[in-house]
C-alpha cells in the first residue's frame, strides 16, 4: 500500500478537486467513494440506453480561487448552459428556484395562508441557534414551506436526513426570503425579479 498522507471522503466534484489540488501540492491523497463510479451528484449515468444527469446542478462557489481551479482543469469543456427547472407537486409545476408569489398563487388560498402564517411565526419566534439544515430553513421560511419543498427534495438529492446536514451549509447555498420585496413584486412596485427562496441548491 502506498504511503498516503491525506484521506478524502467522496469522489464528487469537491473530493476530486481536492485530490487534484493535493497532488499539485505534493501530497499523496487517497480518495474513498462508496459508489462504483465517481462524480457524485454531478455525474451522468446511463439508463435504458439514455444518458441522464443526476442533477440538474449548476456549479456554484463563492470562492473565486475554487472556480479558477475548475476552469483550469476543464478549459473549453467548462461550458455555460441555461436551464428551465420545475418542481412537480400536487399536480402543479412550481418554478425552481422557488419564488414566493408563484408558490402562493399555485398552492391555493388555504395552503398559502398556512405558509404565510408559518413564516410569520418563524420570524417572530425563531430557533435561537439553528444547528442543522431543518432548523435553519424553518427559521428562514417557516415549518410549512420547509415540509412542502425543502425537506423531501433535499433528502432525496443528498441522501441524508435534513437534521444531519449543517446549518452553515444551508446558509451558504440558500438565499433568505424577503417577504416585503416579494409583495412589492406582486404589486408591481419593484422592477426586480421575484425573490428566490433557493438561490443555489
Amino acid at each position: 500500500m502506498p504511503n498516503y498522507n491525506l484521506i478524502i471522503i467522496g469522489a464528487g466534484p469537491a473530493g476530486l478537486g481536492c485530490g487534484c489540488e493535493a497532488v499539485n501540492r505534493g501530497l499523496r491523497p487517497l480518495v474513498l467513494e462508496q459508489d462504483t463510479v465517481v462524480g457524485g451528484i454531478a455525474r451522468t449515468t446511463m439508463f435504458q440506453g439514455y444518458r441522464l444527469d443526476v442533477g440538474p446542478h449548476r456549479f456554484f462557489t463563492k470562492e473565486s480561487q475554487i472556480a479558477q481551479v475548475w476552469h483550469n482543469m476543464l478549459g473549453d469543456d467548462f461550458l455555460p448552459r441555461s436551464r428551465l427547472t420545475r418542481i412537480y407537486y400536487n399536480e402543479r409545476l412550481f418554478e425552481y428556484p422557488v419564488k414566493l408569489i408563484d408558490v402562493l398563487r399555485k398552492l391555493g388560498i388555504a395552503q398559502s395562508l398556512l405558509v404565510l402564517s408559518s413564516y410569520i411565526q418563524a420570524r417572530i419566534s425563531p430557533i435561537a441557534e439553528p444547528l442543522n439544515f431543518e432548523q435553519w430553513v424553518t427559521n428562514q421560511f417557516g415549518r410549512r414551506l420547509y415540509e412542502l419543498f425543502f425537506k423531501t427534495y433535499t433528502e432525496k438529492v443528498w441522501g441524508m436526513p435534513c437534521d444531519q446536514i449543517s446549518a452553515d451549509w444551508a446558509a451558504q447555498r440558500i438565499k433568505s426570503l424577503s417577504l416585503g420585496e416579494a409583495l412589492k413584486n406582486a404589486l408591481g412596485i419593484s422592477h426586480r425579479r421575484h425573490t428566490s427562496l433557493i438561490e443555489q441548491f
Side-chain angles (χ1 to χ4, degrees), residues 9-117:
I9 300 176
L16 295 175
C18 183
C20 288
E21 186 65 17
V23 170
N24 291 337
R25 293 173 181 245
L27 299 174
R28 297 177 61 86
L30 171 64
V31 180
L32 303 177
E33 171 59 53
Q34 67 176 353
D35 207 336
T36 58
V37 295
V38 301
I41 59 173
R43 72 184 184 277
T44 298
T45 187
M46 294 294 296
F47 178 75
Q48 296 183 358
Y50 294 92
R51 293 183 182 275
L52 299 176
D53 290 337
V54 177
H57 284 272
R58 293 172 291 180
F59 177 79
F60 171 71
T61 179
K62 294 181 179 179
E63 301 294 333
S64 58
Q65 187 176 3
I66 294 176
Q68 191 59 50
V69 168
W70 283 95
H71 277 287
N72 292 342
M73 282 200 311
L74 297 177
D76 293 337
D77 290 329
F78 200 6
L79 305 174
R81 289 290 184 264
S82 59
R83 73 172 186 178
L84 177 63
T85 309
R86 296 289 184 263
I87 296 174
Y88 185 70
Y89 172 78
N90 200 23
E91 299 184 349
R92 289 179 179 271
L93 292 172
F94 292 78
E95 294 185 41
Y96 183 90
V98 178
K99 296 178 176 63
L100 180 64
I101 299 305
D102 179 66
V103 169
L104 298 181
R105 180 167 57 86
K106 293 176 180 176
L107 282 180
I109 295 176
Q111 190 72 271
S112 295
L113 289 176
L114 290 174
V115 167
L116 286 174
S117 175

Side-chain angles (χ1 to χ4, degrees), residues 157-177:
V157 169
W158 295 99
M160 59 190 303
C162 289
D163 61 3
Q164 294 181 21
I165 300 175
S166 168
D168 292 337
W169 182 89
Q172 291 174 10
R173 300 179 69 91
I174 305 176
K175 184 177 180 180
S176 299
L177 167 63

